[in-house]
Amino acid sequence: MFSFLDMINSSLSYFNLDAKLKARIYIGIASAGDIYLVYVTFRLFANQVWLRGFLYCLAMVAITYFLYLNFVYYFLGKTSQFDFISPRFAKITGQKFDSNGKRVGSGRAAQAGPVIANQSNGLFSGDNTIPAVVAIDDYEQHNLQRVVDQLLTNGIFVNDYNGLDEAQIVAQYNETGKPVQALNTHSVPPYFELEHDRLRHRLEIYIGINQMERRAVGHIVRIGLTDVHSAHQKYRIYLAGLAVTAGPHKIAGRRGSTILTTADYRLNAQVAYRERNEEE
């Protein structure tokens, strides 16, 4: 029975599931094992195998307690008042808590200053720029992941949660209800450009550590409230600014801790425009 449950548990690692959903599945699997343990304990006591039955009973009580804590947290979104284990276990693993049970960060991340955005594509007047909506297909998402990994490896991008420590991440999440992304907010690639793909009739965005290693990472589908094809016919479009957003992020966990989850990277684009003349 336990081997079967362990096989199901192990198989979940092959799927890219949300952390909260995966935790709920684990709770279901553990509950099935706990019910089986109740049955085994009952049979042992019925057969007067007192010592083994007592040990199984202790294990059942411990598992039921942890199931209760996780059920309250992952299904009800609360922290149980009977959760005495999490802070103590966290201290053993190296985390520090204050007198209220909240985790205290090292302070080094909080002291880190914000990364200055690199305007690598020139300066544009704000009056002539407008936000653009960027779509990313599977091929482009793969390219975007590779470029971001390269920029992180070279120290151009930084996963520092904008200098927030664990307590500040929890506070910001509780205030806004939005995850705090690992990638710094001002993550502007060192090279980016916009190119008209005549074959697929779309404006393709390329980024990279330099022009030689550029990759297609997304395409513009809308400029302001205007469809990109209509805008491209009337105006010459330039990529004025670009930042990489989203990706791995943290949400508030229990007892002042955080939970790391994964997500695809996105692009925040600003375009400049100039009306075409008759010759263009």
Side-chain angles (χ1 to χ4, degrees), residues 140-184:
E140 293 166 334
Q141 183 63 233
H142 176 71
N143 284 344
L144 180 56
Q145 180 70 56
R146 292 187 61 180
V147 174
V148 171
D149 289 344
Q150 183 182 20
L151 295 176
L152 287 170
T153 301
N154 286 274
I156 299 172
F157 282 1
V158 180
N159 281 335
D160 71 342
Y161 300 94
N162 285 317
L164 301 180
D165 61 22
E166 296 287 291
Q168 292 171 325
I169 291 174
V170 172
Q172 180 172 315
Y173 178 82
N174 291 335
E175 180 180 351
T176 65
K178 297 180 180 180
V180 179
Q181 67 182 47
L183 195 63
N184 192 279

Side-chain angles (χ1 to χ4, degrees), residues 182-193:
L183 195 63
N184 192 279
T185 302
H186 306 290
S187 296
V188 178
Y191 173 83
F192 60 86
E193 68 174 340

